[in-house]
Amino acid sequence: MTFSIVARSADGQLYGVAVASKFLAVGAVAPAAEPEVGALATQAHANLAYRPQGLALLRTGVAAADVVAGLVAADPGRAQRQLGVVGAAGDGATFTGGDCPAWAGGAAGPGWAAQGNILAGPQVIDAMRDAWLDEATGEPFAARLLAALHAGDQAGGDRRGRQSAALLVVAAGAGYGGGSDVLVDLRVDDHPQPIAELARLLDIHTMLFGRSAPEDLLDLDGVIGEEVAALLTATGYPPGDRGLEAALAAWAGVENLEERLVPGQIDPVVLAHLRGQTG
């Protein structure tokens, strides 16, 4: 009833899961990930105990294939299970029980595994694999996961239709304000086009919480400083006595752009949003 991809970034810093299904809130059931440890997806007749148990095994250095083997060997319901796992090194691993509804199967390679059941056919997994391996796009990790999910959907996806999708990406200290390891945690629980909606949410997430390259940042002085001061005044945040950076921070906090603030500079994404508010 689900198709997913679990993966590790080439530098081993990011771990993630992208999943879609004709099932309510698949993001509440299938994915799990832990930085510097690994990621997994449990599906078909999902065994939610696989999530903590699998991460616990990965935490001790057990290889992905051995994690899969250990989990399913101890599970009397394994014939109805499907599982994908990646660890901190080596190939990913995938398992499809013999009683999973057709078409069901998966594929795995260095740092990734894709799997699905009740699919339109094996072309769904092939499309996900090919999209994931296409590094020529140069997309960020989360976008690559979503692109693989979209490719599977375009190849037929869940043959029953669409309902939900989710994207989970973790990295050490990468969460909001550095206070968590969750870089991206987006869910579409019930929607006629869940993957398209998930893509829309990821675009918003990237705009609010992403980071522009240091060389793209603009110094907050001279002509740029004058423009920003005028724009802030037009939006009701005149610098006045508090100064330009304080006014910018006040405006950015209201707009949820505080994660993009850089002392003495302005992110071009922030500037574009500010310009857009004043027409």
Side-chain angles (χ1 to χ4, degrees), residues 110-124:
W112 66 275
Q115 46 282 316
N117 61 92
I118 320 185
L119 300 184
Q123 69 272 16
V124 177

Side-chain angles (χ1 to χ4, degrees), residues 1-4 19-24 26 43-44 82 101-103 115-121 123-125 128 149-164 194-195:
M1 61 185 177
T2 304
F3 57 105
S4 67
V19 57
S21 182
K22 180 65 169 66
F23 183 86
L24 181 68
V26 69
Q43 53 200 56
Q82 194 167 50
W103 188 90
Q115 46 282 316
N117 61 92
I118 320 185
L119 300 184
Q123 69 272 16
V124 177
I125 301 301
M128 295 176 72
L149 197 68
H150 177 71
D153 186 58
Q154 292 299 106
D158 188 325
R159 60 185 172 84
R160 300 169 305 161
R162 304 178 176 98
Q163 187 170 7
S164 66
I195 296 176

